[in-house]
């Protein structure tokens, strides 16, 4: 039983309207995003006969735009954590079991064999429908065609959305169910790729030969399509494999490349940078300025994503500084003594001199046949 929180959604929409008036580019990108989810039938206008909300079975989700920090593209985020009378949608949803494969396991398998391939499921959460009995808990307010001079209308999402705590489990279940339902029609390697080499919507996989990779790309694409999942943004460290993939299904950065002579780009692989051309992981460390305090040191050292621990020798001095400050009882925002400030400055300068670290891949040794 949910309270009628329409007033909160109206207030947030007024804030969005003010933002639209100050930034035309923001408005255009926002309208484009909303038009796309309506055109793709991810959402619909609430039918007239259902406009009157049923008591306790309707919830309005505020929304706002967020720019991707690297791609600089705008995504509209539905705020499932927004509260009204102490209640939010997320507080009433069951999270479900964690069906996501281990990050370390996926990355290790990705570097197990010499031919690496990587792809992404397009709008994964949006490919999984919400039961008709639940769609009214996903209502939102919006102006037709983004024209904020009109009165807003009521819409509702028909699919699982980013921000809902249940979405990852539901989407992963649907993907795994696709593999289970079709395991008799595809090679075990294809089915196991879905079960073991996906981290949410990212597929990262390695195989022994180019021919094997070409066939796996075709079969994996076909199997995912059985469940309504479209694999896009394909990339590989093999130019032969890339050439076998239709241009519109390749990663954007390699669609216009001359595969005979151009260098392959660097791509992000589950938070790591994969230099496809040299087939190595690399860490491009950009340190944001932080106060010279215990809190600032922790913020900087924790911002370096390194699941394998490749950078442990470089990060250890920062952790030692933190350990000493903790032992001496320094507060989180207390200024550092001169000696520690000098030590921290030297560590920062050392990182800035060698911002890019490259690490060799984790291939099997020759003759090692066991699969992990």
């Amino acid at each position: 039983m949910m309270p009628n929180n329409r007033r909160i959604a109206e207030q947030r929409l007024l804030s969005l309207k003010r933002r639209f008036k100050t930034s035309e580019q923001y408005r255009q990108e926002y309208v484009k995003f909303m038009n796309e989810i309506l055109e793709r039938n991810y959402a619909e206008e609430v039918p007239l006969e259902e406009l009157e909300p049923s008591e306790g079975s309707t919830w309005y989700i505020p929304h706002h735009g967020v720019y991707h920090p690297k791609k600089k593209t705008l995504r509209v985020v539905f705020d499932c954590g927004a509260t009204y009378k102490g209640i939010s949608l997320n507080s009433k949803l069951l999270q479900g079991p964690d069906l996501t494969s281990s990050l370390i396991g996926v990355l290790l398998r990705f570097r197990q064999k010499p031919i690496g391939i990587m792809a992404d499921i397009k709008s994964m959460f949006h490919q999984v429908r919400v039961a008709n009995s639940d769609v009214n808990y996903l209502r939102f307010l919006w102006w037709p065609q983004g024209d904020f001079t009109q009165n807003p209308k009521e819409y509702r999402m028909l699919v699982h959305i980013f921000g809902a705590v249940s979405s990852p489990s539901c989407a992963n279940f649907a993907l795994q169910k696709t593999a289970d339902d079709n395991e008799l029609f595809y090679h075990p390697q294809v089915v196991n790729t879905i079960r073991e080499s996906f981290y949410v919507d990212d597929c990262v996989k390695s195989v022994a030969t180019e021919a094997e990779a070409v066939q796996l790309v075709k079969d994996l694409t076909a199997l995912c399509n059985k469940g309504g999942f479209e694999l896009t943004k394909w990339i590989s460290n093999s130019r032969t494999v890339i050439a076998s993939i239709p241009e519109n299904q390749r990663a954007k950065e390699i669609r216009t490349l001359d595969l005979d002579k151009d260098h392959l780009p660097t791509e992000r692989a589950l938070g790591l940078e994969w230099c496809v051309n040299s087939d190595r992981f690399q860490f491009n460390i950009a340190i944001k300025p932080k106060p010279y305090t215990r809190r600032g040191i922790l913020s900087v050292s924790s911002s370096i994503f390194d699941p394998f621990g490749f950078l442990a020798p470089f990060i250890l001095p920062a952790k030692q500084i933190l350990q000493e400050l903790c032992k001496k009882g320094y507060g989180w925002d207390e200024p550092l003594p001169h000696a520690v400030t000098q030590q921290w400055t030297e560590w920062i300068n050392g990182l800035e001199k060698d911002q890019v670290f490259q690490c060799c891949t984790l291939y099997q040794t020759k003759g090692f046949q066991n699969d992990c």
Side-chain angles (χ1 to χ4, degrees), residues 2-176:
M2 304 290 280
N4 189 338
N5 71 325
R6 194 180 197 277
R7 184 162 57 88
I8 298 298
E10 290 172 344
Q11 291 173 353
R12 293 280 289 270
L13 199 67
L14 285 175
S15 298
L16 184 63
K17 183 178 182 177
R18 289 192 289 269
R19 177 74 185 274
F20 281 179
K21 289 180 177 179
T22 60
S23 176
E24 179 61 21
Q25 180 183 350
Y26 181 81
R27 188 192 73 81
Q28 289 179 2
E29 293 179 17
Y30 208 108
V31 171
K32 180 182 177 182
F33 188 100
M34 297 299 277
N35 285 344
E36 285 180 356
I37 67 172
L38 290 166
E39 290 167 3
R40 293 173 180 172
N41 200 31
Y42 298 156
E44 68 175 6
E45 185 178 342
V46 177
L48 286 174
E49 62 273 16
E50 298 183 41
L51 273 178
E52 190 64 31
S54 302
E55 185 177 355
S57 61
T58 303
W59 183 261
Y60 296 88
I61 312 176
H63 50 87
H64 60 276
V66 175
Y67 279 102
H68 192 285
K70 295 186 179 294
K71 301 176 183 177
K72 305 302 180 183
T73 54
L74 182 123
R75 168 183 285 174
V76 175
V77 176
F78 290 92
D79 188 0
C80 299
T83 59
Y84 179 70
K85 294 184 177 180
I87 294 174
S88 70
L89 182 63
N90 275 344
S91 71
K92 295 297 182 180
L93 286 172
L94 296 176
Q95 182 173 339
D98 183 4
L99 302 177
T100 306
S101 298
S102 160
L103 176 64
I104 292 294
V106 173
L107 284 171
L108 283 171
R109 285 186 284 273
F110 177 50
R111 296 292 68 206
Q112 185 180 0
K113 295 179 181 177
I115 307 300
I117 56 176
M118 190 165 66
D120 175 83
I121 296 178
K122 185 177 181 180
S123 304
M124 181 181 182
F125 290 0
H126 289 168
Q127 309 315 312
V128 184
R129 289 271 171 176
V130 172
N132 291 335
S133 58
D134 293 334
V135 293
N136 283 319
Y137 292 107
L138 302 178
R139 287 196 187 188
F140 62 95
L141 301 179
W142 179 242
W143 303 283
Q145 299 302 315
D147 182 1
F148 57 79
T149 61
Q150 301 184 41
N151 291 326
K153 292 187 175 182
E154 293 193 14
Y155 296 82
R156 60 190 181 190
M157 294 299 295
L158 305 175
V159 297
H160 288 272
I161 57 179
F162 292 93
V165 296
S166 57
S167 294
S169 186
C170 291
N172 275 312
F173 175 83
L175 182 62
Q176 298 290 334

Side-chain angles (χ1 to χ4, degrees), residues 230-241:
E230 181 185 355
L231 282 173
T232 61
K233 302 179 184 178
W234 284 100
I235 192 167
S236 173
N237 56 355
S238 164
R239 295 170 188 266
T240 300
V241 175

Side-chain angles (χ1 to χ4, degrees), residues 281-348:
F281 285 135
Q282 69 179 34
F283 298 84
N284 193 354
I285 301 175
I287 300 296
K288 294 182 180 179
K290 294 290 181 180
Y292 277 34
T293 61
R294 184 178 160 198
R295 189 188 306 276
I297 293 175
L298 178 63
S299 177
V300 171
S301 60
S302 300
S303 67
I304 301 172
F305 182 69
D306 178 29
F308 281 126
F310 287 140
L311 301 183
F314 302 97
I315 300 174
L316 184 59
K319 292 185 175 181
Q320 288 176 322
I321 293 173
L322 279 173
Q323 187 180 55
E324 287 301 315
L325 291 173
C326 185
K327 285 180 179 179
K328 293 177 180 179
Y330 277 86
W332 284 109
D333 299 303
E334 189 176 346
L336 303 180
H338 176 73
V340 176
T341 299
Q342 187 175 9
Q343 189 180 0
W344 177 243
T345 301
E346 290 175 357
W347 187 81
I348 292 290

Side-chain angles (χ1 to χ4, degrees), residues 264-266 273-285 310-311 314 354-361:
L264 297 177
T266 296
E273 290 191 0
W274 180 34
C275 182
V276 184
N277 204 70
S278 63
D279 195 21
R280 289 172 176 259
F281 285 135
Q282 69 179 34
F283 298 84
N284 193 354
I285 301 175
F310 287 140
L311 301 183
F314 302 97
D354 300 301
Q355 285 188 346
V356 178
F357 299 87
Q358 285 199 341
C359 306
C360 61
T361 50

